[in-house]
Amino acid sequence: MTKRTVVAMPGDGIGGVVLDASIRVLDAAGFKADYVQADIGWEFWKKEGNPLPQRTLDLLTEHKIGLFGAITSKPKDAANAELDENLKDKGLVYSSPIVGLRQYFDLDVCTRPCRTYKGNPLNFIRRGQKDAIEEPVVDVVIFRQNTEGLYGGVEWSNPPAQVYDALKTHPKFVQNFSDVPVEELSVSTRIFTKKYTSRILKAAFAYAEKYGYKSVTVCEKPNVIRETSGMMFKLAQEIQKNEYPEIELWNTNIDAQMMWLTKNPENYGVIVAGNMFGDIVSDGFAGLIGGLGFACSANIGEDVAVFEPTHGSAPKYADYPESIVNPIAMIASACMMLDHIGETKISDRIKKAIAKVIEDGKVKTYDMMKMTGKSTVLDAGAASTDEMADAVIEALGE
Ligand code: NAI
Ligand code: MG
């Protein structure tokens, strides 16, 4: 195996501790890599006025593969208030560096697998016939378009004249909004392009074919959001017909899908959606398999790929003398990195070890014990972040 270089971006809060834990597991599993630390997050916004310094972008351009912990984002006014005195009033505007990374490197394909771990006390259960308790096995992989749509950032409050004039060319705008003063208007756009919509759909179908999923579900709202959701579904129909006739194409609306989440989650396989609905539906499915401590993700572009847990920086747990948060989401994200670069044997070994620790049930972080997060949870029997990583490492050998 050639030695890899991985860009390690701890970010803020608990990002560093879960990233360290995952690197320990990668090392123990025999993955040979150098990790170059790269700066990202709140500290660099405060000190340099830029949470995503160019040197970090350069490292990723060079090495192509990144592991990312989490960052802290705060609203506009709080961000300005915390800027270094020398940088204040220079017109600097904070924007999320992880969203920035996705856009800079065109990491347009976001993959979020949500699979039930046997024995996880946080698994979703429901009442079935004759009051039987059912624990459906969820095996869903969400493909979320990562760079456009509602998170594309094309938005205005008090839009400029050209935008206002353009809006006035639409009969629905004239009918419903023409008497609203322009300074009282806020507009966020939802732009879908054929190129990127096709890319996310094709990634979803290719994954379904490769891993034997029988269906791909487009989860949007084409009956109401006709142009963008409608375009996505139409393209999906063409791709399915021409390239993947053996895979079923299903169409669900995001609102109904959230309701079906708890009724029949076992029926779904690959799900594909635009940026915001993909974000929503992936958190929904993650909730069925244990929530933020378990939800992993990959952001994949043509050249660069970054792997991250879907949770944030959980600032309230950041300064504990011994960290209590669950590192599994980050370790599982590292496995997605291994899969992406073809190190599937090591990845499978780690995934098996995680599954074993969960099924054994002896080592559980506070979330798995359904405790409220406090520094006292360790005394009450919860495993620390490091103890969970140690348990996974020990299970590698079994
Ligand atoms: P969060 O994901 O940081 O935490 C929410 C709650 O989930 C925590 O208080 C904790 O109870 C639980 N939690 C999170 N990770 C956990 C883990 N590994 N193990 C066990 N429990 C865990 O979301 P929140 O509180 O909304 O945001 C905190 C900060 O993180 C904000 O500044 C937000 O902007 C940022 N954020 C960053 C993301 C990223 O870096 N990709 C994603 C989401 C939020
Ligand atoms: Mg989210």
Side-chain angles (χ1 to χ4, degrees):
M1 179 168 72
T2 49
K3 202 169 185 190
R4 297 271 181 169
T5 302
V6 176
V7 180
M9 295 170 279
D12 302 305
I14 63 166
V17 71
V18 293
L19 181 57
D20 286 349
S22 72
I23 292 175
R24 282 206 297 122
V25 174
L26 287 168
D27 283 344
F31 177 57
K32 303 255 177 298
D34 289 323
Y35 296 90
V36 285
Q37 292 276 317
D39 300 334
I40 191 166
W42 199 248
E43 188 189 335
F44 304 97
W45 161 251
K46 289 201 297 188
K47 279 200 308 216
E48 302 176 21
N50 182 2
L52 181 57
Q54 185 61 40
R55 56 186 181 278
T56 297
L57 298 171
D58 293 343
L59 281 173
L60 272 167
T61 305
E62 185 182 347
H63 301 298
K64 319 277 188 224
I65 297 288
L67 280 177
F68 169 79
I71 48 91
T72 296
S73 279
K74 296 187 189 178
K76 213 162 143 184
D77 293 346
N80 288 337
E82 289 190 36
L83 256 186
D84 186 281
E85 285 307 319
N86 300 322
L87 295 170
K88 277 192 177 144
D89 308 318
K90 294 214 161 131
L92 294 168
V93 182
Y94 177 84
S95 66
S96 159
I98 182 63
V99 175
L101 262 188
R102 291 170 188 153
Q103 285 174 341
Y104 184 88
F105 289 111
D106 233 353
L107 308 178
D108 62 313
V109 176
C110 176
T111 313
R112 295 181 165 181
C114 295
R115 295 193 176 97
T116 303
Y117 288 102
K118 198 169 168 196
N120 186 349
L122 299 176
N123 284 344
F124 167 69
I125 53 171
R126 71 177 170 221
R127 212 177 280 281
Q129 283 188 341
K130 297 191 180 153
D131 276 356
I133 300 293
E134 299 173 345
E135 190 174 318
V137 174
V138 177
D139 179 0
V140 164
V141 183
I142 289 118
F143 281 76
R144 164 196 181 194
Q145 206 297 325
N146 223 9
T147 47
E148 330 191 300
L150 255 181
Y151 296 178
V154 182
E155 47 184 6
W156 303 267
S157 283
N158 190 9
Q162 303 95 311
V163 174
Y164 188 61
D165 290 344
L167 289 170
K168 280 195 295 190
T169 63
H170 199 291
K172 282 262 165 63
F173 187 86
V174 174
Q175 186 187 317
N176 297 323
F177 303 103
S178 57
D179 58 350
V180 180
V182 64
E183 60 280 5
E184 290 183 20
L185 270 183
S186 289
V187 179
S188 300
T189 64
R190 187 176 194 269
I191 298 172
F192 279 37
T193 63
K194 273 199 168 161
K195 176 179 168 188
Y196 287 102
T197 307
S198 280
R199 272 176 57 84
I200 194 72
L201 289 166
K202 287 188 175 184
F205 275 105
Y207 189 95
E209 181 175 65
K210 183 168 176 193
Y211 294 103
Y213 288 89
K214 72 172 175 28
S215 66
V216 168
T217 303
V218 175
C219 178
E220 278 282 322
K221 187 90 183 174
N223 55 334
V224 178
I225 316 177
R226 291 167 187 278
E227 300 305 324
T228 46
S229 294
M231 185 259 269
M232 183 177 244
F233 188 61
K234 204 162 154 236
L235 276 177
Q237 285 174 308
E238 283 167 21
I239 293 168
Q240 189 260 354
K241 188 164 157 247
N242 298 330
E243 297 174 48
Y244 298 95
E246 72 290 357
I247 296 174
E248 289 175 34
L249 171 63
W250 298 353
N251 176 27
T252 59
N253 288 334
I254 177 70
D255 46 352
Q257 180 73 68
M258 296 313 282
M259 182 269 296
W260 285 324
L261 210 60
T262 51
K263 288 200 155 195
N264 59 348
E266 67 272 44
N267 289 4
Y268 298 94
V270 171
I271 294 187
V272 55
N275 210 336
M276 186 180 197
F277 295 161
D279 201 9
I280 292 172
V281 76
S282 60
D283 275 14
F285 274 99
L288 305 177
I289 60 120
L292 290 172
F294 295 86
C296 55
S297 77
N299 305 284
I300 296 177
E302 287 201 335
D303 201 31
V304 171
V306 174
F307 303 83
E308 53 160 336
T310 62
H311 64 70
S313 60
K316 62 184 175 188
Y317 304 140
D319 299 323
Y320 280 22
E322 188 166 8
S323 172
I324 63 165
V325 295
N326 190 346
I328 289 176
M330 181 81 236
I331 300 170
S333 305
C335 289
M336 295 187 81
M337 173 189 78
L338 294 173
D339 290 337
H340 179 70
I341 60 178
E343 298 287 357
T344 47
K345 267 199 188 139
I346 302 179
S347 169
D348 288 349
R349 208 171 144 219
I350 299 175
K351 284 188 246 179
K352 256 197 206 141
I354 296 173
K356 179 160 194 317
V357 172
I358 295 171
E359 193 172 357
D360 281 355
K362 288 190 217 109
V363 180
K364 294 193 281 251
T365 42
Y366 82 95
D367 52 329
M368 298 169 77
M369 298 180 80
K370 302 174 195 189
M371 292 174 167
T372 305
K374 288 191 197 124
S375 56
T376 49
V377 296
L378 300 180
D379 291 333
S384 67
T385 307
D386 278 338
E387 284 166 343
M388 177 54 91
D390 289 341
V392 173
I393 289 168
E394 204 180 312
L396 286 169
E398 292 170 20

